[in-house]
Amino acid sequence: MNRSEESYRRLWELDQRHVWHPFTQMKQWMAEPPVIIESAYGAILRDITGREYLDANSSIWTNLHGHRHPTITRAIKEQLDRIAHSSFLGLSNVPAIELAAQLVAIAPRDDRRALTRVFYSDDGSTAMEVAIKMALQYWQHRGQPQRQRFLAFTEAYHGDTLGAVSVGGIRLFHDVFRPLTFPVQRIRNLAELPDRADDVAAVCIEPLIQGAAGMRLWPAGLLRDLRAWCDRSGVLLIADEVMTGFGRTGKMFACEHEHVVPDFLALAKGLTGGYLPLAATLTTEEIFNAFLGEYHEFKTFFHGHSYTGNQLGCAAALANLRVFQEERTLEKLPALAEQMRRRLAPLRDQPGVLDVRQCGFIGAVEVGPFPLEAQMGARICWVMRDHGVLTRPIGNVVVLMPPYCVTPAQLDHIFDALERALTVCLSAPAR
């Protein structure tokens, strides 16, 4: 046994003995040799044995410009020479201030509404948690404490903290935790919006596309019409752009496609280019002003995190935005999206494929009908792994979201692996 094999065996045994992986049935996990990632560059992940894989889901939808991008890596190293972290409670810091200004500058705005304030947290779930709590407290300060009801869409996913779970609508993920959550009115479409909304605080939506629901696309115009309903009803709009933000849909933010400015914009995942945990909830001056008052009025937003405004994360996020400018990333995305469209289109006619969906540089192939227990989506991804491609399914939906640095040849490799896996798995499906 060579040194790399010895290292692999040791780490595998330690993983089995001590680690609990997210969204993973550990009995099944411990029965199979794991992929243990050791390094990466660009769109490539390398495991401890030296085998390389294309990162076809951007490390769970976070990595934008590739691993070890020199601009972001350098920014983090330079920040480390200054300070890694100091409290944001009662203090401020340079990169957090600069990042807030840049996020406000690129955020959606129109003649009626602008997102001018930034509240930092740690991940997409906490970014939504902040928006939910701010919305509720805002109405209390505005003298409408009856506005406590939240609306959310069926099959929504907004994170795993309890507030985010409350507005989530995926039964498999969320039902077990319902005893701990607050009630939410769930709707399938705009026709189910209530006629009476004077007790509604806010409505939550993933703009253009529902991610964890299986990359389900919303009808064109739905987001715009929802914004109009919120304006008529006096209801706040919370846009969860944790997945769609920072170019995934072809524009910097998905809301821009329908010229919508939400009252809250939740950002995470790609905010740091996939380097460090950091989230931001953007909101308007009107909402911010409702929290201003004398100390004894206790209008303060009593919420925060130990690592709020972390300097390393903010430095990475500033570098991420700099890469967008320097490399003109948004201008390059249409060509990648078009190549994805060309490779996805023929898959619609393959036996066993139910649907093919695309939104910008997000691709999804749904197979079936198969029971979830058959793990058909996972089986397809396992075969793709054998061909040097890593991605993760959502049930029977295979998701493709490579980093923006992926080359045309690498993107073809991803689809070649997918086509082989579909042929292998759908010709002999699990029983």
Side-chain angles (χ1 to χ4, degrees):
M1 183 181 294
N2 61 39
R3 185 174 178 180
S4 66
E5 290 173 335
E6 290 178 356
S7 296
Y8 178 81
R9 284 286 177 184
R10 181 180 66 85
L11 290 168
W12 179 7
E13 290 171 4
L14 289 174
D15 185 286
Q16 286 201 329
R17 193 177 305 149
H18 300 298
V19 180
W20 193 339
H21 291 267
F23 284 90
T24 300
Q25 175 44 250
M26 292 304 295
K27 181 177 181 180
Q28 184 177 37
W29 169 267
M30 291 188 293
E32 298 289 338
V35 174
I36 303 175
I37 299 300
E38 184 179 44
S39 62
Y41 62 95
I44 300 291
L45 298 168
R46 181 186 290 122
D47 72 17
I48 194 170
T49 70
R51 185 173 183 188
E52 295 186 342
Y53 308 85
L54 280 162
D55 187 357
N57 74 354
S58 296
S59 295
I60 299 297
W61 317 345
T62 62
N63 191 282
L64 301 184
H65 309 292
H67 300 276
R68 283 168 48 197
H69 191 287
T71 299
I72 304 176
T73 299
R74 182 169 59 250
I76 294 171
K77 288 180 177 179
E78 290 175 355
Q79 183 61 47
L80 273 173
D81 288 335
R82 299 184 184 95
I83 183 173
H85 173 69
S86 61
S87 174
F88 212 57
L89 282 71
L91 296 171
S92 198
N93 68 65
V94 175
I97 294 169
E98 293 179 342
L99 177 60
Q102 290 199 25
L103 289 175
V104 166
I106 65 173
R109 64 173 58 220
D110 58 25
D111 294 338
R112 298 187 57 183
R113 193 175 286 106
L115 300 167
T116 59
R117 296 287 173 169
V118 178
F119 193 98
Y120 293 113
S121 58
D122 301 338
D123 54 33
S125 180
T126 56
M128 285 298 294
E129 202 87 10
V130 165
I132 291 165
K133 292 174 72 173
M134 276 186 179
L136 182 70
Q137 191 173 346
Y138 166 79
W139 289 117
Q140 294 176 10
H141 295 333
R142 286 288 306 273
Q144 298 187 52
Q146 81 282 359
R147 285 192 179 268
Q148 298 181 10
R149 187 156 55 113
F150 284 81
L151 308 181
F153 288 87
T154 56
E155 300 303 314
Y157 178 82
H158 297 292
D160 297 322
T161 54
L162 288 178
V165 167
S166 295
V167 294
I170 299 178
R171 296 189 61 182
L172 180 64
F173 297 167
H174 299 141
D175 274 7
V176 67
F177 303 115
R178 289 296 174 213
L180 302 177
T181 62
F182 59 82
V184 169
Q185 180 178 345
R186 304 189 191 286
I187 57 176
R188 291 171 294 180
N189 50 55
L190 299 193
E192 296 183 355
L193 287 167
D195 295 328
R196 176 179 168 273
D198 58 357
D199 64 342
V200 177
V203 57
C204 305
I205 188 171
E206 300 160 83
L208 296 193
I209 180 171
Q210 288 185 308
M215 301 301 166
R216 290 173 47 182
L217 303 176
W218 288 120
L222 180 140
L223 181 64
R224 181 187 61 244
D225 292 344
L226 179 61
R227 174 74 271 181
W229 178 87
C230 288
D231 289 339
R232 291 193 304 271
S233 306
V235 173
L236 300 174
L237 176 61
I238 301 174
D240 178 350
E241 292 230 27
V242 171
M243 180 191 74
T244 56
F246 303 102
R248 274 294 165 194
T249 64
K251 293 183 180 292
M252 186 62 82
F253 302 108
C255 287
E256 296 179 75
H257 287 275
E258 298 193 359
H259 307 289
V260 164
V261 182
D263 300 289
F264 296 94
L265 180 66
L267 304 173
K269 286 194 182 294
L271 176 56
T272 67
Y275 272 64
L276 291 165
L278 181 70
T281 304
L282 278 63
T283 192
T284 65
E285 203 70 11
E286 177 184 351
I287 290 171
F288 174 80
N289 287 337
F291 288 77
L292 300 181
E294 300 302 323
Y295 183 86
H296 68 270
E297 295 179 274
F298 299 118
K299 288 186 174 182
T300 301
F301 183 53
F302 292 107
H303 182 101
H305 301 257
S306 298
Y307 285 92
T308 293
N310 171 259
Q311 285 97 320
L312 285 179
C314 291
L318 284 166
N320 170 44
L321 295 180
R322 190 157 62 249
V323 173
F324 269 98
Q325 293 180 329
E326 293 174 352
E327 299 186 1
R328 304 173 76 172
T329 303
L330 292 178
E331 295 177 29
K332 297 177 181 178
L333 285 177
L336 288 172
E338 173 59 21
Q339 183 180 354
M340 177 177 279
R341 186 198 65 78
R342 290 197 307 267
R343 293 302 304 263
L344 281 171
L347 300 180
R348 295 181 186 276
D349 300 324
Q350 181 156 336
V353 172
L354 291 181
D355 193 19
V356 170
R357 298 185 283 275
Q358 182 180 4
C359 181
F361 201 41
I362 303 169
V365 178
E366 183 174 0
V367 299
F370 301 105
L372 286 179
E373 294 82 357
Q375 294 186 275
M376 183 54 73
R379 292 180 63 219
I380 292 168
C381 292
W382 295 335
V383 176
M384 292 177 70
R385 182 180 68 185
D386 293 339
H387 292 282
V389 175
L390 291 179
T391 189
R392 185 175 172 88
I394 302 169
N396 287 326
V397 179
V398 178
V399 178
L400 302 173
M401 287 178 61
Y404 305 151
C405 68
V406 68
T407 67
Q410 289 173 331
L411 191 54
D412 277 336
H413 183 123
I414 290 170
F415 277 96
D416 290 344
L418 173 61
E419 289 176 356
R420 294 189 189 103
L422 291 172
T423 299
V424 169
C425 295
L426 298 182
S427 63
R431 296 185 180 276

